[in-house]
Amino acid sequence: MATGKKLSEISWQEFKALPLAAKGDYFQGIPPHTLIAQQFSRTRLEELCTLATKIKRINKRRDGANFLKTLLSDKRAMLYFAQPSSRTYLSHNAACQILGLDTMDVRDTKTSSEVKGESPEDTIRTFSSYADMIIMRHPVGGFAERVAWMLAHTNREIPVLNAGSGADQHPTQALLDIYTLARSFEKTGGIDGKHIAFVGDLMRGRTVRSLAWLLTLYKDVTLYFVAPEPLQISPDILELLDQAGTQYVITQDFASVMPIADAVYMTRIQDEWDAEGESCTIDTSDFSIGAEHMDILKDTTVIMHPLPRRSEISTDIDNDPRAVYWRQMRNGMWIRAALILTTFGRQDEANQYYDDYKPQA
Ligand code: ASP
Ligand code: CP
């Protein structure tokens, strides 16, 4: 939804000082950027989920897959991943291939002219000379916003898609998590009214920070933040939940939450952000899940994880129908395809094809 607010008309200092919800208004124009979870409305989430399912169904047949490949065959995407990634990189790349976009990448800043002293800003401007979209992961929180703002002040403002920034945001992961929750609860009334538990390193887990916000868009959800005290969710997220009127519980008692949770969202310890290996001294043994817990969970509970996992989910439960983390990962490819297609405003052609041929699940 266009708000009329333009990144090109605000100074960086003014923009930086805005609250998150107000920043979102600047990302909805032409081109639309995807930078923070706070820019999404429930309507937009529902549109993306519906489109993701349509793309998935169209892609099942060869003629459908060939049609999809024509949709963005005039575009090129730059994948700039200055931090390690398996799924986010691969699923964006696969989403681009589904839609016919060519991709280029830099996955290691040591192979770019940044080693010659080129600034990250000039590096991005260089990418924008060759690409029509930048999909980027960066260790510096807020850097993707800075990039979008900077490009808005050039004659080549191309869309920027945040594929994970610092320890603060991972908006496209939150989209695939919403898609997974929505599909999992399709027959049980959807996400509204559900009890969703987040477990692990909630202080530094950017996926939880983005998803917690998106869940404020659903009615009567209750969020449980289950973590050792030093890794508990930060006050800034609780403030947003308070403002949105979303119910939450903060606890270290995973055992008491297990029987009531409709979804359990596990996370790993994000020790890459440790200053001196301090995470090793925290007892995290009560914040994991395995075969011994399966009888305590409801039969309908879904177990999620953004991945990669370490020992917080035992491989013993991988084949339990409630373990949806592998499906969750694949969902990322479909919702990212939907996001990229709408970023270029080409969704009508896919919707029309779907209506004409009605591909089935
Ligand atoms: N892959 C997710 C991220 O990049 C979660 C994780 O690494 O634990 O944030
Ligand atoms: N979930 C996620 O972001 O995975 P990667 O870090 O492997 O991209």
Side-chain angles (χ1 to χ4, degrees):
M1 187 196 31
T3 58
K5 296 196 173 155
K6 293 190 178 144
L7 276 175
S8 58
E9 290 171 0
I10 185 168
S11 75
W12 175 244
Q13 292 313 327
E14 277 175 304
F15 176 76
K16 228 170 68 167
L18 291 174
L20 284 169
K23 280 184 176 176
D25 289 347
Y26 286 86
F27 307 146
Q28 325 274 353
I30 309 273
H33 301 286
T34 300
L35 298 172
I36 57 175
Q38 286 74 11
Q39 72 183 85
F40 287 94
S41 64
R42 181 161 173 173
T43 312
R44 172 95 171 108
L45 293 182
E46 286 168 356
E47 270 167 21
L48 285 172
C49 291
T50 305
L51 184 60
T53 301
K54 288 182 183 175
I55 292 173
K56 179 177 160 179
R57 290 184 183 167
I58 295 172
N59 195 64
K60 280 212 161 106
R61 286 176 53 108
R62 191 172 179 177
D63 46 0
N66 285 339
F67 158 75
L68 289 172
K69 280 191 206 303
T70 65
L71 290 178
L72 292 174
S73 55
D74 55 333
K75 303 290 180 197
R76 277 189 300 273
M78 175 68 205
L79 293 141
Y80 176 48
F81 276 64
Q83 253 192 328
S85 168
S86 296
R87 300 134 268 271
T88 312
Y89 172 81
L90 289 171
S91 61
H92 275 109
N93 205 356
C96 288
Q97 288 168 359
I98 289 168
L99 300 169
L101 273 105
D102 282 331
T103 57
M104 302 169 275
D105 67 34
V106 167
R107 299 204 61 187
D108 179 351
T109 51
K110 287 198 227 62
T111 65
S112 91
S113 283
E114 284 179 79
V115 281
K116 300 183 213 163
E118 187 163 46
S119 68
E121 281 83 358
D122 280 5
T123 300
I124 297 287
R125 198 157 176 181
T126 304
F127 298 156
S128 76
S129 303
Y130 305 124
D132 301 294
M133 152 179 252
I134 297 178
I135 300 169
M136 61 177 286
R137 171 170 284 195
H138 203 273
V140 177
F143 187 62
E145 292 169 39
R146 168 85 192 170
V147 164
W149 178 87
M150 191 198 69
L151 291 175
H153 288 79
T154 70
N155 59 2
R156 235 185 110 65
E157 182 181 7
I158 60 171
V160 178
L161 209 149
N162 179 3
S165 53
D168 68 339
Q169 289 266 354
H170 196 344
T172 67
Q173 174 73 41
L175 293 179
L176 76 90
D177 294 337
I178 286 290
Y179 186 43
T180 303
L181 288 166
R183 287 184 68 80
S184 302
F185 301 143
E186 225 159 37
K187 296 196 175 101
T188 55
I191 300 174
D192 290 327
K194 295 293 188 290
H195 293 247
I196 297 167
F198 293 100
V199 186
D201 188 344
L202 309 183
M203 186 176 66
R204 303 174 296 184
R206 56 192 174 191
T207 69
V208 172
R209 293 174 55 81
S210 288
L211 179 56
W213 169 261
L214 289 193
L215 287 168
T216 66
L217 303 174
Y218 293 82
K219 281 196 222 105
D220 302 325
V221 293
T222 307
L223 307 185
Y224 297 82
F225 295 109
V226 187
E229 210 256 315
L231 300 177
Q232 212 15 298
I233 192 86
S234 308
D236 65 328
I237 296 292
L238 299 180
E239 213 174 290
L240 289 174
L241 298 180
D242 286 335
Q243 282 163 14
T246 300
Q247 299 284 335
Y248 60 83
V249 174
I250 296 192
T251 178
Q252 298 194 29
D253 186 1
F254 191 17
S256 71
V257 174
M258 278 191 210
I260 48 177
D262 296 299
V264 174
Y265 190 101
M266 304 298 296
T267 65
R268 77 176 164 91
I269 302 305
Q270 311 276 312
D271 48 13
E272 63 268 44
W273 302 110
D274 279 2
E276 287 169 4
E278 58 274 20
S279 300
C280 311
T281 61
I282 301 171
D283 180 7
T284 54
S285 51
D286 288 339
F287 303 91
S288 58
I289 197 162
E292 67 278 23
H293 302 116
M294 289 299 101
D295 287 343
I296 308 173
L297 295 177
K298 294 196 253 186
D299 290 345
T300 50
T301 300
V302 290
I303 304 163
M304 298 172 65
H305 195 305
L307 301 174
R309 74 173 150 192
R310 289 185 186 158
S311 54
E312 61 280 352
I313 297 188
S314 160
T315 52
D316 295 349
I317 65 167
D318 280 359
N319 293 327
D320 189 295
R322 291 168 290 182
V324 300
Y325 27 91
W326 298 112
R327 204 178 319 149
Q328 177 186 357
M329 186 166 85
R330 190 163 164 80
N331 284 341
M333 180 172 75
W334 304 119
I335 201 87
R336 286 171 171 137
L339 178 67
I340 292 168
L341 192 59
T342 58
T343 296
F344 289 106
R346 301 264 173 91
Q347 61 276 21
D348 291 352
E349 290 171 61
N351 284 324
Q352 189 62 53
Y353 185 97
Y354 188 85
D355 290 346
D356 290 346
Y357 295 100
K358 305 215 169 9
Q360 292 310 302

